[in-house]
Amino acid sequence: MKILVCISKTPDTTAKIAFTDNNTKFAEAGVQWIINPYDEWYALVRAIELKEADPSTVIHLVTVGGTDAEPIIRKALALGGDEAIRINTQPLESYQVAAEIAAVAKDYDLILVGKETIDYNGGAVGGMLAELLDLPFVANATNFQLAGTTATIKREIEGGEETIECPLPVVVSCQKGVAEARIPNMRGIMAARTKPLKVVEPAATEPLTEYRKFQLPPAKAGVKLVSPDNVDELVRLLHEEARAI
Amino acid sequence: MSVLIFVDQLDGHIKKASHEALTYGAKIAEQIGETAEAVVLGNTNEDLASLGQHGVKKVHHVQAEGLNQFDSQVYTKVLVQVAEQTGAKVIIFSNNSSGKALAPRVAVRLKAGLVAGATALPDTSNGFVVRKNVFSGKAIANVAIKSEIKVISLNVNAFTISQGEGTAEVVPFNATVDTAKTNVTGTSKTSGKVALTEADIVVSAGRGLKGPENWGMVEELADTLGAALACSRPVADAHWRPHNEHVGQTGIAVAPNLYIAIGISGAIQHLAGVNRSKTIVVINKDAEAPFFKAADYGIVGDAFDVVPKLTAAVQKLKGK
């Protein structure tokens, strides 16, 4: 079986969020970059677990990014995966990224993506990729099991979960529950240095959207503290001032 | 020409998020001088003509056995037929479990740009610019859609439902419906009485509760408020509460009107999942807890003392 895992580079969860160039660009100075947590913790780790269960499984990783994305894809290889593909262009928006990945994503039995990236929060690449490849797609999976060529997938729905059976190939976006987190070991890190990392030139997809301007959310007015001996006052404020209850 | 709104159902009932999307779509139609039309797939228990209250003029109802269970490929193909026949210029989804699977597919099929997770009406003064949250709620982006057809998925709880007078014309729509490759073999409801992502009020508790045996008072407060239950990541990781209650950056992101955090310190990853809540109340015995900085109201006090008092105070208010 061949699995493709899509990897994004994102700022660390604790990175300071600021913008430059008249608020048109994310301020990258001093930012630590990580593998998008949903891609790493759920999509990639589930692929590794599947390979552990069936060692004949081949895992390929793909990322859309410049040379600045190489440390991230190497780190992903250190966790697991047999080889990686870097599509040599800066990611601009969901459709461009999905179309670039679709060009190299033929002939996989399973394509795993994280449910969204923690920077642009679109969660659209998986669905777009599925449509471009004409494959079934399950969004926000919380569990993924495989028996032969049939996948049994649980996904989150409003107020519950749905269980879906689906033949391979399929595209699945992964969230919490799909796999348990793990840390790369020294052997994996050393091995990752010699694993193939193929650089392919982009298909030059025209983006359909454009991030024009960023802003920070308006600051909170500050917390109004109420004494623990006067809880009625909190309820009054929530009822009359915030109109929340 | 139309603004087409996808109406999402669960067990034949329209989800609250779709009423938000209908209101939002009708407002866009008004803004750009088009007609708002809705599309409903599969059997329904609802009076579809009443969707006119949100400003929708027409409801296209596609009925076929194959549409009574969700499959993103089958649904996409039908929605594309409706979009093409009605000349849809803008297509609206809710950014919920269905919209997350459908909006990207429909956008690709129609060569339309997609903004996933819109939080406000588009600015059409210079192009078509949609506002959305980025960096897990820590910033806002203005995204221009450059294609002729636009697809928007609206964040849940981001837009207030408005209801006026009006009746929509309900028209059956004959579409080609494929056989799904996927098969839904079961559904399960989570423990809470109110769906977390659709809830107006969320009561959430963390490690400050000391153990799963102490959740009774939290459940009582949630019941009194008609709220959904949530928890912080350490609580879910310790299996005190189920994972589907975990809110935060790596759990579920929520945006209720009111978020009450009990015994949660407010790590940045937790805040990223709740910072779109309209009003945040923090109850914590540590006055230095970072959550107070993100809160609108706070009580520095012991949860075991404050929570039962709060339940009683809400009961008193509701008894009036």
Side-chain angles (χ1 to χ4, degrees):
Chain A
M1 187 172 71
K2 277 178 79 179
I3 305 176
L4 182 69
V5 183
C6 304
I7 300 287
S8 288
K9 176 189 118 180
T10 58
D12 184 33
T13 53
T14 56
K16 183 180 178 339
I17 305 305
F19 301 94
T20 60
D21 294 23
N22 196 23
N23 287 326
T24 58
K25 272 172 81 176
F26 175 59
E28 299 191 352
V31 168
Q32 292 267 10
W33 297 93
I34 58 170
I35 307 171
N36 179 45
Y38 294 109
D39 302 347
E40 174 183 338
W41 300 351
Y42 308 122
L44 176 56
V45 172
R46 189 68 190 114
I48 296 166
E49 290 171 352
L50 291 169
K51 189 180 167 93
E52 283 166 357
D54 172 10
S56 71
T57 302
V58 174
I59 303 173
H60 288 179
L61 313 179
V62 64
T63 194
V64 176
T67 48
D68 55 311
E70 291 216 349
I72 294 303
I73 198 82
R74 286 275 178 216
K75 191 187 165 208
L77 279 172
L79 279 156
D82 300 293
E83 59 178 79
I85 305 161
R86 176 171 69 79
I87 301 168
N88 189 24
T89 185
Q90 285 302 326
L92 300 172
E93 52 113 46
S94 311
Y95 175 72
Q96 175 236 6
V97 169
E100 291 295 343
I101 293 174
V104 301
K106 315 280 192 272
D107 307 322
Y108 288 95
D109 301 298
L110 175 63
I111 300 177
L112 298 177
V113 300
K115 76 158 182 178
E116 64 183 43
T117 58
I118 63 164
D119 48 10
Y120 294 99
N121 306 109
V125 169
M128 288 180 168
L129 192 53
E131 188 62 23
L132 289 163
L133 298 169
D134 200 21
L135 295 178
F137 171 57
V138 178
N140 291 23
T142 55
N143 192 287
F144 179 91
Q145 304 299 330
L146 196 61
T149 56
T150 304
T152 303
I153 307 162
K154 285 190 177 154
R155 74 170 179 120
E156 180 196 305
I157 57 170
E158 283 66 36
E161 267 183 347
E162 196 171 74
T163 307
I164 298 149
E165 274 185 11
C166 178
L168 299 182
V170 60
V171 181
V172 181
S173 87
C174 304
Q175 68 174 36
K176 190 162 186 141
V178 165
E180 287 301 325
R182 58 176 70 187
I183 298 163
N185 58 30
M186 213 28 163
R187 207 171 59 180
I189 294 166
M190 299 303 282
R193 291 189 188 164
T194 55
K195 283 182 184 170
L197 171 60
K198 203 162 78 182
V199 179
V200 302
E201 286 313 308
T205 309
E206 203 56 40
L208 296 174
T209 62
E210 178 191 18
Y211 282 82
R212 278 207 184 149
K213 205 149 196 159
F214 296 93
Q215 67 210 69
L216 296 176
K220 287 256 180 192
V223 60
K224 259 190 201 172
L225 288 177
V226 176
S227 156
D229 298 321
N230 195 6
V231 177
D232 283 346
E233 172 64 5
L234 175 67
V235 172
R236 187 192 69 78
L237 287 167
L238 290 176
H239 184 60
E240 292 174 11
E241 189 177 82
R243 297 181 181 278
I245 57 176
Chain B
M1 301 288 223
S2 74
V3 172
L4 186 66
I5 303 121
F6 169 69
V7 178
D8 191 22
Q9 299 198 100
L10 188 67
D11 303 331
H13 294 284
I14 295 172
K15 292 179 189 171
K16 180 184 146 221
S18 284
H19 290 289
E20 296 164 2
L22 286 159
T23 306
Y24 179 78
K27 292 257 157 66
I28 294 182
E30 212 176 282
Q31 192 178 327
I32 63 172
E34 301 282 351
T35 336
E37 301 184 13
V39 52
V40 176
L41 306 188
N43 294 338
T44 184
N45 298 316
E46 304 261 2
D47 168 24
L48 299 181
S50 72
L51 298 182
Q53 291 172 353
H54 301 301
V56 172
K57 299 284 179 256
K58 208 183 249 188
V59 179
H60 302 275
H61 190 194
V62 194
Q63 270 179 302
E65 191 45 44
L67 297 175
N68 291 328
Q69 72 170 40
F70 181 83
D71 175 90
S72 67
Q73 263 179 311
V74 172
Y75 269 42
T76 295
K77 201 159 169 193
V78 171
L79 291 175
V80 166
Q81 292 172 59
V82 179
E84 282 174 346
Q85 200 169 316
T86 57
K89 275 187 151 178
V90 183
I91 303 162
I92 310 292
F93 293 88
S94 171
N95 192 28
N96 65 358
S97 63
S98 307
K100 281 174 183 170
L102 294 173
R105 297 198 85 121
V106 169
V108 161
R109 197 47 60 197
L110 296 172
K111 296 192 169 52
L114 164 69
V115 173
T119 56
L121 287 169
D123 176 358
T124 49
S125 61
N126 176 20
F128 193 99
V129 181
V130 186
R131 175 181 284 216
K132 67 165 282 184
N133 290 316
V134 287
F135 296 96
S136 305
K138 285 174 258 178
I140 296 160
N142 298 288
V143 189
I145 306 182
K146 301 193 287 185
S147 51
E148 196 187 331
I149 301 173
K150 281 100 177 152
V151 179
I152 302 173
S153 67
L154 174 70
N155 258 354
V156 177
N157 279 346
F159 206 75
T160 311
I161 298 167
S162 75
Q163 253 163 339
E165 298 290 311
T167 307
E169 180 195 352
V170 181
V171 284
F173 188 100
N174 287 318
T176 309
V177 180
D178 288 349
T179 306
K181 289 181 200 154
T182 66
N183 185 24
V184 177
T185 56
T187 50
S188 65
K189 285 228 157 52
T190 41
S191 54
K193 289 166 191 152
V194 182
L196 182 53
T197 48
E198 295 222 309
D200 278 326
I201 304 178
V202 173
V203 173
S204 186
R207 265 184 302 192
L209 271 275
K210 296 195 168 70
E213 66 281 6
N214 296 325
W215 245 261
M217 63 178 189
V218 180
E219 283 168 359
E220 207 180 328
L221 175 61
D223 279 349
T224 307
L225 286 164
L229 281 173
C231 70
S232 65
R233 182 172 175 195
V235 164
D237 283 353
H239 304 292
W240 292 2
R241 300 295 300 175
H243 275 301
N244 53 40
E245 286 184 8
H246 161 205
V247 296
Q249 187 149 38
T250 55
I252 294 166
V254 294
N257 276 324
L258 176 61
Y259 183 81
I260 301 179
I262 303 160
I264 301 175
S265 63
I268 194 162
Q269 292 86 352
H270 185 80
L271 295 181
V274 306
N275 54 17
R276 291 192 294 113
S277 310
K278 288 200 181 76
T279 300
I280 295 178
V281 173
V282 170
I283 298 165
N284 203 302
K285 65 178 181 190
D286 175 11
E288 301 298 314
F291 217 149
F292 283 114
K293 290 201 176 71
D296 300 284
Y297 302 99
I299 292 183
V300 180
D302 184 2
F304 294 93
D305 167 46
V306 174
V307 173
K309 280 193 204 161
L310 183 55
T311 306
V314 174
Q315 278 164 347
K316 202 162 80 185
L317 174 83
K318 299 223 162 168
K320 268 181 200 165

